[in-house]
Amino acid sequence: MEAVVERQNMVKALEQVKRNKGAAGVDGMTIHEIDAYLKTDWAEIKERLLDGSYQPQPVLGIQIPKPNGGVRQLGIPTVIDRLIQQAIQQVLTPIFDPTFSDSSYGFRPGRSAHQAVSAAREYVKTGRRWVVDIDLEKFFDRVNHDILMSRIARKIKDKRLLRLIRKYLQAGMMQDGLVSQRVEGTPQGGPLSPLLSNILLDDLDKELEKRGHKFCRYADDCNIYVGSKASGERVLERITRFLERKLHLTVNAAKSAVDRPWKRKFLGYSMTFEKTARLKPSPSNVKRLKDSIRELIHRGRGGRIDRVIGELTLKLRGWGHYFKLAEVKKVFEDLDGWIRRKVRNTIWRQWKKPATRYRELKARGISEDLARQTAKSGRGPWFASGTQAMNIAFPKKFFDELGLVSLLDMRLSR
């Protein structure tokens, strides 16, 4: 606890909490108010942390939609509790992280989702062309507190710190003005939860290593790569038994499977079925991007095209950066073409009347006959957006000059 509340550690924690920003907790205090609060109250908080009397406040329960349906339950601690959790995390990480598995990639310094995806591809390239895809049912909501605390106590002997961590695990959750007590789970939303999840699931990693398996784990997302379907089914059965008996975690049978890597996705990526597997964005992630672009363009349909393109560019840069490991060029070519057509479709809709369409096409260098023929077409905006006239009038160069990011160009420039 002395290391947790030490000035340099707290200053570093405060800087990180400010960088993370985040919403206010149940007390309503924002990140902008914390400095003034600490000047007057930190001495008392520090004393209560050291004598073991500090009591965390309940977390604020928030549900956010999952990309594939359903909701994810978040628990947002107060700014002060986020600060203390961050300070604890900074002290515990150097103690626990060096002993974690090399096959664990989530929420660890110097490790990333891209490293996990690259390792998965290498396993498939070496002939392990079956994957055991394990889905833990509501992992963050189901963590057994006693089992987790016993894992922490293997390395941490300060009972004040152990009691404080348990208090954070058991802090109530406020929703709709009512506080409910927690007897299991480590709510997502606090700085400490990712490290605690890795401490618990390190037992799984060690078990897989002991059995000689090749695997990649990112938080509660674990894929094990094997040489045959029969082998995969045996692994799934045995690991399910281990998780349920040793860690009291439930494997979601409906979402877990033994299958080909190119029929599953891992951290948003899928693979080709060639002998030398290549990475590509999973079809569900491509669909999700298209859905979000449709929504964005629909919102901006009546506005200026350059503003729509500005919003699009922010989204595409983030998506393109995450999928920079993808090796299948056609996915990016198809997306680029579809996106440009969606913008052309918006332009066509904004013109509204055939006379306007004719005049605008002529102004962009389209011949009189082709402009008249296209403007009078009654086959709808989407058809018109793919016509020769619209492609000539609004070529790729037009979009480049407006700053629209090309996913293919981003990929080729790496």
Side-chain angles (χ1 to χ4, degrees), residues 213-243:
H213 292 309
K214 303 297 183 184
F215 68 97
C216 299
R217 184 178 66 77
Y218 192 96
D220 60 332
D221 199 345
C222 184
N223 277 7
I224 307 163
Y225 295 89
V226 296
S228 70
K229 185 176 183 181
S231 174
E233 288 171 347
R234 286 194 301 272
V235 170
L236 179 57
E237 180 185 349
R238 291 168 184 171
I239 295 305
T240 297
R241 192 160 56 241
F242 170 83
L243 287 165

PDB file of all heavy atoms in Angstrom, residues 213-243:
ATOM      1  N   HIS A 213       0.046 -27.053 -26.070  1.00  0.00           N
ATOM      2  CA  HIS A 213      -0.800 -26.465 -27.108  1.00  0.00           C
ATOM      3  C   HIS A 213      -0.244 -25.142 -27.620  1.00  0.00           C
ATOM      4  O   HIS A 213       0.438 -24.415 -26.899  1.00  0.00           O
ATOM      5  CB  HIS A 213      -2.217 -26.236 -26.569  1.00  0.00           C
ATOM      6  CG  HIS A 213      -2.955 -27.501 -26.285  1.00  0.00           C
ATOM      7  ND1 HIS A 213      -3.077 -28.530 -27.189  1.00  0.00           N
ATOM      8  CD2 HIS A 213      -3.629 -27.913 -25.163  1.00  0.00           C
ATOM      9  CE1 HIS A 213      -3.774 -29.511 -26.659  1.00  0.00           C
ATOM     10  NE2 HIS A 213      -4.118 -29.168 -25.425  1.00  0.00           N
ATOM     11  N   LYS A 214      -0.550 -24.847 -28.877  1.00  0.00           N
ATOM     12  CA  LYS A 214      -0.252 -23.551 -29.482  1.00  0.00           C
ATOM     13  C   LYS A 214      -1.526 -22.721 -29.455  1.00  0.00           C
ATOM     14  O   LYS A 214      -2.551 -23.146 -29.988  1.00  0.00           O
ATOM     15  CB  LYS A 214       0.240 -23.714 -30.928  1.00  0.00           C
ATOM     16  CG  LYS A 214       1.467 -24.600 -31.062  1.00  0.00           C
ATOM     17  CD  LYS A 214       2.666 -24.013 -30.336  1.00  0.00           C
ATOM     18  CE  LYS A 214       3.910 -24.865 -30.540  1.00  0.00           C
ATOM     19  NZ  LYS A 214       5.066 -24.357 -29.768  1.00  0.00           N
ATOM     20  N   PHE A 215      -1.479 -21.558 -28.854  1.00  0.00           N
ATOM     21  CA  PHE A 215      -2.703 -20.790 -28.667  1.00  0.00           C
ATOM     22  C   PHE A 215      -2.400 -19.299 -28.634  1.00  0.00           C
ATOM     23  O   PHE A 215      -1.253 -18.871 -28.469  1.00  0.00           O
ATOM     24  CB  PHE A 215      -3.407 -21.207 -27.362  1.00  0.00           C
ATOM     25  CG  PHE A 215      -2.659 -20.835 -26.113  1.00  0.00           C
ATOM     26  CD1 PHE A 215      -2.975 -19.678 -25.400  1.00  0.00           C
ATOM     27  CD2 PHE A 215      -1.616 -21.635 -25.636  1.00  0.00           C
ATOM     28  CE1 PHE A 215      -2.277 -19.332 -24.250  1.00  0.00           C
ATOM     29  CE2 PHE A 215      -0.919 -21.292 -24.483  1.00  0.00           C
ATOM     30  CZ  PHE A 215      -1.250 -20.134 -23.788  1.00  0.00           C
ATOM     31  N   CYS A 216      -3.460 -18.514 -28.790  1.00  0.00           N
ATOM     32  CA  CYS A 216      -3.396 -17.064 -28.646  1.00  0.00           C
ATOM     33  C   CYS A 216      -4.577 -16.658 -27.769  1.00  0.00           C
ATOM     34  O   CYS A 216      -5.714 -17.026 -28.047  1.00  0.00           O
ATOM     35  CB  CYS A 216      -3.527 -16.364 -29.999  1.00  0.00           C
ATOM     36  SG  CYS A 216      -2.241 -16.788 -31.179  1.00  0.00           S
ATOM     37  N   ARG A 217      -4.282 -15.893 -26.730  1.00  0.00           N
ATOM     38  CA  ARG A 217      -5.365 -15.385 -25.882  1.00  0.00           C
ATOM     39  C   ARG A 217      -5.261 -13.871 -25.799  1.00  0.00           C
ATOM     40  O   ARG A 217      -4.201 -13.325 -25.547  1.00  0.00           O
ATOM     41  CB  ARG A 217      -5.295 -15.986 -24.469  1.00  0.00           C
ATOM     42  CG  ARG A 217      -6.489 -15.524 -23.591  1.00  0.00           C
ATOM     43  CD  ARG A 217      -6.463 -16.141 -22.215  1.00  0.00           C
ATOM     44  NE  ARG A 217      -5.319 -15.702 -21.414  1.00  0.00           N
ATOM     45  CZ  ARG A 217      -5.226 -14.520 -20.803  1.00  0.00           C
ATOM     46  NH1 ARG A 217      -6.188 -13.613 -20.925  1.00  0.00           N
ATOM     47  NH2 ARG A 217      -4.147 -14.216 -20.096  1.00  0.00           N
ATOM     48  N   TYR A 218      -6.405 -13.233 -26.016  1.00  0.00           N
ATOM     49  CA  TYR A 218      -6.505 -11.783 -25.840  1.00  0.00           C
ATOM     50  C   TYR A 218      -7.682 -11.551 -24.909  1.00  0.00           C
ATOM     51  O   TYR A 218      -8.839 -11.703 -25.290  1.00  0.00           O
ATOM     52  CB  TYR A 218      -6.732 -11.086 -27.185  1.00  0.00           C
ATOM     53  CG  TYR A 218      -6.561  -9.584 -27.119  1.00  0.00           C
ATOM     54  CD1 TYR A 218      -5.354  -8.996 -27.475  1.00  0.00           C
ATOM     55  CD2 TYR A 218      -7.593  -8.764 -26.665  1.00  0.00           C
ATOM     56  CE1 TYR A 218      -5.184  -7.621 -27.400  1.00  0.00           C
ATOM     57  CE2 TYR A 218      -7.427  -7.396 -26.577  1.00  0.00           C
ATOM     58  CZ  TYR A 218      -6.222  -6.828 -26.949  1.00  0.00           C
ATOM     59  OH  TYR A 218      -6.052  -5.462 -26.862  1.00  0.00           O
ATOM     60  N   ALA A 219      -7.380 -11.219 -23.642  1.00  0.00           N
ATOM     61  CA  ALA A 219      -8.416 -11.111 -22.597  1.00  0.00           C
ATOM     62  C   ALA A 219      -9.155 -12.441 -22.518  1.00  0.00           C
ATOM     63  O   ALA A 219      -8.520 -13.485 -22.345  1.00  0.00           O
ATOM     64  CB  ALA A 219      -9.332  -9.931 -22.855  1.00  0.00           C
ATOM     65  N   ASP A 220     -10.477 -12.440 -22.687  1.00  0.00           N
ATOM     66  CA  ASP A 220     -11.229 -13.692 -22.580  1.00  0.00           C
ATOM     67  C   ASP A 220     -11.453 -14.350 -23.935  1.00  0.00           C
ATOM     68  O   ASP A 220     -12.241 -15.289 -24.044  1.00  0.00           O
ATOM     69  CB  ASP A 220     -12.571 -13.441 -21.884  1.00  0.00           C
ATOM     70  CG  ASP A 220     -13.441 -12.435 -22.630  1.00  0.00           C
ATOM     71  OD1 ASP A 220     -12.868 -11.563 -23.318  1.00  0.00           O
ATOM     72  OD2 ASP A 220     -14.671 -12.503 -22.514  1.00  0.00           O
ATOM     73  N   ASP A 221     -10.781 -13.870 -24.967  1.00  0.00           N
ATOM     74  CA  ASP A 221     -10.899 -14.430 -26.315  1.00  0.00           C
ATOM     75  C   ASP A 221      -9.711 -15.367 -26.548  1.00  0.00           C
ATOM     76  O   ASP A 221      -8.570 -14.911 -26.687  1.00  0.00           O
ATOM     77  CB  ASP A 221     -10.892 -13.289 -27.333  1.00  0.00           C
ATOM     78  CG  ASP A 221     -11.471 -13.701 -28.677  1.00  0.00           C
ATOM     79  OD1 ASP A 221     -11.602 -14.910 -28.917  1.00  0.00           O
ATOM     80  OD2 ASP A 221     -11.785 -12.812 -29.489  1.00  0.00           O
ATOM     81  N   CYS A 222      -9.971 -16.681 -26.581  1.00  0.00           N
ATOM     82  CA  CYS A 222      -8.881 -17.664 -26.658  1.00  0.00           C
ATOM     83  C   CYS A 222      -9.082 -18.614 -27.834  1.00  0.00           C
ATOM     84  O   CYS A 222     -10.138 -19.236 -27.964  1.00  0.00           O
ATOM     85  CB  CYS A 222      -8.806 -18.455 -25.354  1.00  0.00           C
ATOM     86  SG  CYS A 222      -7.425 -19.622 -25.298  1.00  0.00           S
ATOM     87  N   ASN A 223      -8.069 -18.712 -28.701  1.00  0.00           N
ATOM     88  CA  ASN A 223      -8.060 -19.644 -29.819  1.00  0.00           C
ATOM     89  C   ASN A 223      -6.880 -20.605 -29.685  1.00  0.00           C
ATOM     90  O   ASN A 223      -5.748 -20.156 -29.459  1.00  0.00           O
ATOM     91  CB  ASN A 223      -7.954 -18.904 -31.151  1.00  0.00           C
ATOM     92  CG  ASN A 223      -9.294 -18.391 -31.645  1.00  0.00           C
ATOM     93  OD1 ASN A 223     -10.302 -18.467 -30.938  1.00  0.00           O
ATOM     94  ND2 ASN A 223      -9.317 -17.862 -32.851  1.00  0.00           N
ATOM     95  N   ILE A 224      -7.159 -21.899 -29.822  1.00  0.00           N
ATOM     96  CA  ILE A 224      -6.125 -22.930 -29.735  1.00  0.00           C
ATOM     97  C   ILE A 224      -6.026 -23.602 -31.109  1.00  0.00           C
ATOM     98  O   ILE A 224      -7.049 -24.000 -31.681  1.00  0.00           O
ATOM     99  CB  ILE A 224      -6.486 -23.984 -28.665  1.00  0.00           C
ATOM    100  CG1 ILE A 224      -6.799 -23.310 -27.330  1.00  0.00           C
ATOM    101  CG2 ILE A 224      -5.353 -25.000 -28.497  1.00  0.00           C
ATOM    102  CD1 ILE A 224      -7.556 -24.188 -26.347  1.00  0.00           C
ATOM    103  N   TYR A 225      -4.811 -23.732 -31.626  1.00  0.00           N
ATOM    104  CA  TYR A 225      -4.618 -24.221 -32.997  1.00  0.00           C
ATOM    105  C   TYR A 225      -4.080 -25.652 -32.976  1.00  0.00           C
ATOM    106  O   TYR A 225      -3.068 -25.928 -32.326  1.00  0.00           O
ATOM    107  CB  TYR A 225      -3.700 -23.266 -33.766  1.00  0.00           C
ATOM    108  CG  TYR A 225      -4.362 -21.927 -33.932  1.00  0.00           C
ATOM    109  CD1 TYR A 225      -4.218 -20.929 -32.958  1.00  0.00           C
ATOM    110  CD2 TYR A 225      -5.195 -21.669 -35.009  1.00  0.00           C
ATOM    111  CE1 TYR A 225      -4.876 -19.722 -33.076  1.00  0.00           C
ATOM    112  CE2 TYR A 225      -5.857 -20.451 -35.130  1.00  0.00           C
ATOM    113  CZ  TYR A 225      -5.698 -19.488 -34.163  1.00  0.00           C
ATOM    114  OH  TYR A 225      -6.366 -18.297 -34.265  1.00  0.00           O
ATOM    115  N   VAL A 226      -4.791 -26.542 -33.684  1.00  0.00           N
ATOM    116  CA  VAL A 226      -4.472 -27.969 -33.672  1.00  0.00           C
ATOM    117  C   VAL A 226      -4.444 -28.519 -35.093  1.00  0.00           C
ATOM    118  O   VAL A 226      -4.805 -27.815 -36.044  1.00  0.00           O
ATOM    119  CB  VAL A 226      -5.495 -28.756 -32.818  1.00  0.00           C
ATOM    120  CG1 VAL A 226      -5.433 -28.332 -31.352  1.00  0.00           C
ATOM    121  CG2 VAL A 226      -6.917 -28.560 -33.352  1.00  0.00           C
ATOM    122  N   GLY A 227      -4.029 -29.786 -35.212  1.00  0.00           N
ATOM    123  CA  GLY A 227      -3.834 -30.371 -36.536  1.00  0.00           C
ATOM    124  C   GLY A 227      -5.014 -31.127 -37.106  1.00  0.00           C
ATOM    125  O   GLY A 227      -5.023 -31.443 -38.297  1.00  0.00           O
ATOM    126  N   SER A 228      -6.021 -31.423 -36.292  1.00  0.00           N
ATOM    127  CA  SER A 228      -7.159 -32.191 -36.796  1.00  0.00           C
ATOM    128  C   SER A 228      -8.418 -31.851 -36.023  1.00  0.00           C
ATOM    129  O   SER A 228      -8.360 -31.343 -34.899  1.00  0.00           O
ATOM    130  CB  SER A 228      -6.883 -33.694 -36.682  1.00  0.00           C
ATOM    131  OG  SER A 228      -6.892 -34.090 -35.320  1.00  0.00           O
ATOM    132  N   LYS A 229      -9.558 -32.164 -36.616  1.00  0.00           N
ATOM    133  CA  LYS A 229     -10.834 -31.904 -35.963  1.00  0.00           C
ATOM    134  C   LYS A 229     -10.988 -32.759 -34.708  1.00  0.00           C
ATOM    135  O   LYS A 229     -11.455 -32.274 -33.662  1.00  0.00           O
ATOM    136  CB  LYS A 229     -11.983 -32.181 -36.927  1.00  0.00           C
ATOM    137  CG  LYS A 229     -13.347 -31.829 -36.361  1.00  0.00           C
ATOM    138  CD  LYS A 229     -14.455 -32.032 -37.384  1.00  0.00           C
ATOM    139  CE  LYS A 229     -15.808 -31.605 -36.808  1.00  0.00           C
ATOM    140  NZ  LYS A 229     -16.908 -31.812 -37.785  1.00  0.00           N
ATOM    141  N   ALA A 230     -10.572 -34.032 -34.795  1.00  0.00           N
ATOM    142  CA  ALA A 230     -10.691 -34.933 -33.637  1.00  0.00           C
ATOM    143  C   ALA A 230      -9.869 -34.421 -32.467  1.00  0.00           C
ATOM    144  O   ALA A 230     -10.315 -34.429 -31.312  1.00  0.00           O
ATOM    145  CB  ALA A 230     -10.255 -36.345 -34.028  1.00  0.00           C
ATOM    146  N   SER A 231      -8.666 -33.954 -32.766  1.00  0.00           N
ATOM    147  CA  SER A 231      -7.810 -33.395 -31.726  1.00  0.00           C
ATOM    148  C   SER A 231      -8.457 -32.159 -31.107  1.00  0.00           C
ATOM    149  O   SER A 231      -8.454 -31.973 -29.890  1.00  0.00           O
ATOM    150  CB  SER A 231      -6.447 -33.037 -32.312  1.00  0.00           C
ATOM    151  OG  SER A 231      -5.646 -32.377 -31.359  1.00  0.00           O
ATOM    152  N   GLY A 232      -9.035 -31.320 -31.959  1.00  0.00           N
ATOM    153  CA  GLY A 232      -9.692 -30.119 -31.485  1.00  0.00           C
ATOM    154  C   GLY A 232     -10.866 -30.420 -30.568  1.00  0.00           C
ATOM    155  O   GLY A 232     -11.071 -29.744 -29.558  1.00  0.00           O
ATOM    156  N   GLU A 233     -11.643 -31.434 -30.916  1.00  0.00           N
ATOM    157  CA  GLU A 233     -12.795 -31.783 -30.076  1.00  0.00           C
ATOM    158  C   GLU A 233     -12.348 -32.292 -28.711  1.00  0.00           C
ATOM    159  O   GLU A 233     -12.990 -32.006 -27.694  1.00  0.00           O
ATOM    160  CB  GLU A 233     -13.659 -32.809 -30.805  1.00  0.00           C
ATOM    161  CG  GLU A 233     -14.417 -32.182 -31.987  1.00  0.00           C
ATOM    162  CD  GLU A 233     -15.111 -33.210 -32.863  1.00  0.00           C
ATOM    163  OE1 GLU A 233     -14.805 -34.424 -32.718  1.00  0.00           O
ATOM    164  OE2 GLU A 233     -15.954 -32.798 -33.695  1.00  0.00           O
ATOM    165  N   ARG A 234     -11.252 -33.048 -28.687  1.00  0.00           N
ATOM    166  CA  ARG A 234     -10.723 -33.508 -27.396  1.00  0.00           C
ATOM    167  C   ARG A 234     -10.252 -32.317 -26.554  1.00  0.00           C
ATOM    168  O   ARG A 234     -10.503 -32.242 -25.351  1.00  0.00           O
ATOM    169  CB  ARG A 234      -9.549 -34.486 -27.611  1.00  0.00           C
ATOM    170  CG  ARG A 234      -9.966 -35.865 -28.085  1.00  0.00           C
ATOM    171  CD  ARG A 234      -8.817 -36.861 -27.933  1.00  0.00           C
ATOM    172  NE  ARG A 234      -7.622 -36.468 -28.680  1.00  0.00           N
ATOM    173  CZ  ARG A 234      -7.408 -36.786 -29.949  1.00  0.00           C
ATOM    174  NH1 ARG A 234      -8.302 -37.498 -30.621  1.00  0.00           N
ATOM    175  NH2 ARG A 234      -6.301 -36.402 -30.562  1.00  0.00           N
ATOM    176  N   VAL A 235      -9.548 -31.378 -27.216  1.00  0.00           N
ATOM    177  CA  VAL A 235      -9.051 -30.198 -26.500  1.00  0.00           C
ATOM    178  C   VAL A 235     -10.212 -29.383 -25.943  1.00  0.00           C
ATOM    179  O   VAL A 235     -10.192 -28.956 -24.776  1.00  0.00           O
ATOM    180  CB  VAL A 235      -8.182 -29.330 -27.438  1.00  0.00           C
ATOM    181  CG1 VAL A 235      -7.867 -27.980 -26.788  1.00  0.00           C
ATOM    182  CG2 VAL A 235      -6.895 -30.054 -27.790  1.00  0.00           C
ATOM    183  N   LEU A 236     -11.238 -29.156 -26.749  1.00  0.00           N
ATOM    184  CA  LEU A 236     -12.386 -28.364 -26.303  1.00  0.00           C
ATOM    185  C   LEU A 236     -13.042 -29.001 -25.082  1.00  0.00           C
ATOM    186  O   LEU A 236     -13.379 -28.317 -24.103  1.00  0.00           O
ATOM    187  CB  LEU A 236     -13.403 -28.211 -27.436  1.00  0.00           C
ATOM    188  CG  LEU A 236     -14.677 -27.425 -27.108  1.00  0.00           C
ATOM    189  CD1 LEU A 236     -14.349 -26.018 -26.614  1.00  0.00           C
ATOM    190  CD2 LEU A 236     -15.608 -27.368 -28.324  1.00  0.00           C
ATOM    191  N   GLU A 237     -13.208 -30.316 -25.117  1.00  0.00           N
ATOM    192  CA  GLU A 237     -13.840 -31.015 -23.996  1.00  0.00           C
ATOM    193  C   GLU A 237     -13.006 -30.888 -22.727  1.00  0.00           C
ATOM    194  O   GLU A 237     -13.526 -30.585 -21.641  1.00  0.00           O
ATOM    195  CB  GLU A 237     -14.029 -32.495 -24.352  1.00  0.00           C
ATOM    196  CG  GLU A 237     -14.669 -33.315 -23.249  1.00  0.00           C
ATOM    197  CD  GLU A 237     -14.730 -34.801 -23.577  1.00  0.00           C
ATOM    198  OE1 GLU A 237     -14.465 -35.174 -24.751  1.00  0.00           O
ATOM    199  OE2 GLU A 237     -15.013 -35.602 -22.668  1.00  0.00           O
ATOM    200  N   ARG A 238     -11.688 -31.096 -22.845  1.00  0.00           N
ATOM    201  CA  ARG A 238     -10.827 -31.081 -21.661  1.00  0.00           C
ATOM    202  C   ARG A 238     -10.649 -29.674 -21.088  1.00  0.00           C
ATOM    203  O   ARG A 238     -10.643 -29.492 -19.866  1.00  0.00           O
ATOM    204  CB  ARG A 238      -9.468 -31.694 -22.013  1.00  0.00           C
ATOM    205  CG  ARG A 238      -9.554 -33.199 -22.276  1.00  0.00           C
ATOM    206  CD  ARG A 238      -8.288 -33.744 -22.891  1.00  0.00           C
ATOM    207  NE  ARG A 238      -8.424 -35.164 -23.212  1.00  0.00           N
ATOM    208  CZ  ARG A 238      -7.538 -35.867 -23.909  1.00  0.00           C
ATOM    209  NH1 ARG A 238      -6.424 -35.269 -24.350  1.00  0.00           N
ATOM    210  NH2 ARG A 238      -7.740 -37.151 -24.164  1.00  0.00           N
ATOM    211  N   ILE A 239     -10.508 -28.696 -21.975  1.00  0.00           N
ATOM    212  CA  ILE A 239     -10.329 -27.324 -21.494  1.00  0.00           C
ATOM    213  C   ILE A 239     -11.621 -26.790 -20.892  1.00  0.00           C
ATOM    214  O   ILE A 239     -11.605 -26.035 -19.910  1.00  0.00           O
ATOM    215  CB  ILE A 239      -9.801 -26.413 -22.619  1.00  0.00           C
ATOM    216  CG1 ILE A 239      -8.392 -26.864 -23.042  1.00  0.00           C
ATOM    217  CG2 ILE A 239      -9.772 -24.963 -22.175  1.00  0.00           C
ATOM    218  CD1 ILE A 239      -7.382 -26.929 -21.902  1.00  0.00           C
ATOM    219  N   THR A 240     -12.744 -27.166 -21.467  1.00  0.00           N
ATOM    220  CA  THR A 240     -14.035 -26.791 -20.873  1.00  0.00           C
ATOM    221  C   THR A 240     -14.147 -27.328 -19.452  1.00  0.00           C
ATOM    222  O   THR A 240     -14.554 -26.616 -18.523  1.00  0.00           O
ATOM    223  CB  THR A 240     -15.198 -27.328 -21.730  1.00  0.00           C
ATOM    224  OG1 THR A 240     -15.154 -26.723 -23.028  1.00  0.00           O
ATOM    225  CG2 THR A 240     -16.544 -27.016 -21.081  1.00  0.00           C
ATOM    226  N   ARG A 241     -13.744 -28.576 -19.273  1.00  0.00           N
ATOM    227  CA  ARG A 241     -13.795 -29.201 -17.941  1.00  0.00           C
ATOM    228  C   ARG A 241     -12.853 -28.471 -16.975  1.00  0.00           C
ATOM    229  O   ARG A 241     -13.206 -28.211 -15.828  1.00  0.00           O
ATOM    230  CB  ARG A 241     -13.418 -30.677 -18.059  1.00  0.00           C
ATOM    231  CG  ARG A 241     -13.705 -31.493 -16.802  1.00  0.00           C
ATOM    232  CD  ARG A 241     -13.796 -32.975 -17.096  1.00  0.00           C
ATOM    233  NE  ARG A 241     -12.594 -33.492 -17.740  1.00  0.00           N
ATOM    234  CZ  ARG A 241     -12.577 -34.057 -18.942  1.00  0.00           C
ATOM    235  NH1 ARG A 241     -13.704 -34.186 -19.642  1.00  0.00           N
ATOM    236  NH2 ARG A 241     -11.446 -34.516 -19.452  1.00  0.00           N
ATOM    237  N   PHE A 242     -11.656 -28.124 -17.454  1.00  0.00           N
ATOM    238  CA  PHE A 242     -10.689 -27.414 -16.615  1.00  0.00           C
ATOM    239  C   PHE A 242     -11.249 -26.062 -16.177  1.00  0.00           C
ATOM    240  O   PHE A 242     -11.183 -25.688 -14.998  1.00  0.00           O
ATOM    241  CB  PHE A 242      -9.377 -27.210 -17.382  1.00  0.00           C
ATOM    242  CG  PHE A 242      -8.404 -26.295 -16.692  1.00  0.00           C
ATOM    243  CD1 PHE A 242      -7.562 -26.778 -15.698  1.00  0.00           C
ATOM    244  CD2 PHE A 242      -8.344 -24.946 -17.021  1.00  0.00           C
ATOM    245  CE1 PHE A 242      -6.677 -25.923 -15.046  1.00  0.00           C
ATOM    246  CE2 PHE A 242      -7.467 -24.089 -16.378  1.00  0.00           C
ATOM    247  CZ  PHE A 242      -6.635 -24.586 -15.384  1.00  0.00           C
ATOM    248  N   LEU A 243     -11.799 -25.297 -17.121  1.00  0.00           N
ATOM    249  CA  LEU A 243     -12.316 -23.971 -16.810  1.00  0.00           C
ATOM    250  C   LEU A 243     -13.469 -24.030 -15.812  1.00  0.00           C
ATOM    251  O   LEU A 243     -13.558 -23.213 -14.892  1.00  0.00           O
ATOM    252  CB  LEU A 243     -12.777 -23.273 -18.098  1.00  0.00           C
ATOM    253  CG  LEU A 243     -11.656 -22.783 -19.028  1.00  0.00           C
ATOM    254  CD1 LEU A 243     -12.210 -22.448 -20.404  1.00  0.00           C
ATOM    255  CD2 LEU A 243     -10.961 -21.558 -18.441  1.00  0.00           C
TER     256      LEU A 243
END
